[in-house]
Amino acid sequence: MRIGLAVGEVRGPASLDDVVQQVRDAAGGFSTAWISQALGLDALTALAVAGREVGGIELGSAVIPVPQRHPLALASQALTVQAATGNRLSLGIGAGIAAMTAGMYGLPADRPAQRTREYLQVISPLLRGEAVDFAGETLRAVGAVQQPPPLPSLTPAAPQVLVAALGPAMLRVAGELADGVVTWMTGPRTLAEHIVPSAQKAAAQARRSAPRVVAGLAVCVTDDADEVRTRFGAQFAMAGQVPEYRAMLDREGVTSPAELLITGSEAEVARAITRLASTGITDLMLAPFGTPEEQNRTTASLGA
């Protein structure tokens, strides 16, 4: 199991300089730096900037909601990041939280699995430099994106495509058409009994390689786990009401996101990570939580 760090706004308000520094910290001992698209910085632009500043680490989006980004536009963005960073991008995408897709953007949020299936049928060939002429039930796309040349001595390469997938239908789509799955706030039992086997079964039926499974969870190394858990529960309380996440909390048998926070002493956090390694996931994406001092302690402890 590879361990990476989440960077950017999932850890609190972050400037572009903050993201670059967080990626630099991650490059000191972690496999990957992951960023999600929130309401501030553009995630892919931030990765391009950070990737030019910091070498030697894989960069991933976890994830970019795609309803407001046509695949021709997103493919162009992703290939630009791939060129800027020397083929180090893993592109995580998702259907988006339905309440935000409809409420903020006024876009349809029905049939997320079908929309994701069609999106993957378009963006995957585009990332390989192929032309598309696609007319589906939810998406129309005609054209191609020229692959920008990467850094000297490298040839263009398509980034891996990962899909935010929690429910059975989305896991089938991801296993059949993508390179892997990304989860957030999904516990070890649900990962082992639902996420990993469902994605692997779908990939096997489609005669694809075993998928990458990237599990995202928050973490805080602390001497007062109860106090940290209370703070985390208050900050992420609304996430527990989102239907997509609520279903995973119910599967895990917990009542709130705070129960999934990895927290405690260095030894307690290490034991929790060891348990996660036994679930079959390929990657663990850890988002340090708390004050800057708490996050620094957590990052240093995890790196050690």
Side-chain angles (χ1 to χ4, degrees):
M1 180 183 73
R2 305 166 72 217
I3 299 179
L5 286 187
V7 303
E9 293 169 79
V10 71
R11 294 167 55 170
S15 68
L16 189 55
D17 286 341
D18 291 333
V19 172
V20 172
Q21 184 58 52
Q22 289 169 1
V23 172
R24 186 172 286 116
D25 293 341
F30 298 88
S31 298
T32 315
W34 302 92
I35 191 169
S36 61
Q37 181 62 53
L39 300 177
L41 295 171
D42 178 75
L44 287 175
T45 304
L47 286 182
V49 172
R52 297 292 282 189
E53 295 285 331
V54 183
I57 186 170
E58 180 189 350
L59 304 167
S61 61
V63 294
I64 307 293
V66 298
Q68 61 270 38
R69 302 195 192 202
H70 191 277
L72 279 162
L74 185 57
S76 178
Q77 285 183 290
L79 289 173
T80 300
V81 177
Q82 189 76 320
T85 62
N87 296 339
R88 286 186 284 142
L89 175 66
S90 288
L91 178 65
I93 64 173
I97 300 300
M100 294 182 67
T101 299
M104 293 183 64
Y105 296 102
L107 295 171
D110 62 319
R111 298 187 291 167
Q114 177 65 22
R115 294 181 185 279
T116 303
R117 177 179 294 278
E118 295 186 1
Y119 202 98
L120 288 167
Q121 289 175 299
V122 172
I123 197 167
S124 295
L126 289 174
L127 292 172
R128 296 192 296 266
E130 301 169 10
V132 298
D133 187 347
F134 183 88
E137 297 177 17
T138 68
L139 179 64
R140 181 82 173 96
V142 179
V145 177
Q146 183 176 355
Q147 290 181 304
L151 300 175
S153 78
L154 292 177
T155 57
Q160 281 194 330
V161 179
L162 312 174
V163 173
L166 299 174
M170 196 68 79
L171 286 165
R172 282 195 299 272
V173 171
E176 291 173 10
L177 296 173
D179 297 301
V181 170
V182 181
T183 70
W184 173 242
M185 288 196 305
T186 302
R189 187 173 74 184
T190 304
L191 290 167
E193 298 177 3
H194 170 58
I195 300 292
V196 172
S198 297
Q200 289 178 343
K201 180 180 178 181
Q205 290 175 339
R207 297 185 178 181
R208 292 177 62 92
S209 300
R212 193 173 177 183
V213 180
V214 182
L217 289 162
V219 61
C220 181
V221 175
T222 178
D223 299 321
D224 193 347
D226 290 339
E227 190 275 334
V228 170
R229 204 177 294 279
T230 298
R231 266 189 286 140
F232 183 85
Q235 185 170 329
F236 286 88
M238 287 299 295
Q241 305 307 312
V242 173
E244 293 89 340
Y245 297 140
R246 183 70 257 165
M248 296 302 103
L249 296 175
D250 292 342
R251 273 186 180 270
E252 192 70 16
V254 299
T255 59
S256 79
E259 295 176 70
L260 298 180
L261 173 67
I262 302 171
T263 189
S265 67
E266 283 83 354
E268 289 170 323
V269 167
R271 284 195 294 271
I273 291 174
T274 299
R275 182 186 178 193
L276 286 161
S278 71
T279 64
I281 62 174
T282 61
D283 295 74
L284 182 58
M285 173 180 65
L286 294 172
F289 172 78
T291 65
E293 293 75 20
E294 288 171 324
Q295 292 192 29
N296 288 339
R297 176 183 175 184
T298 298
T299 299
S301 174
L302 292 169

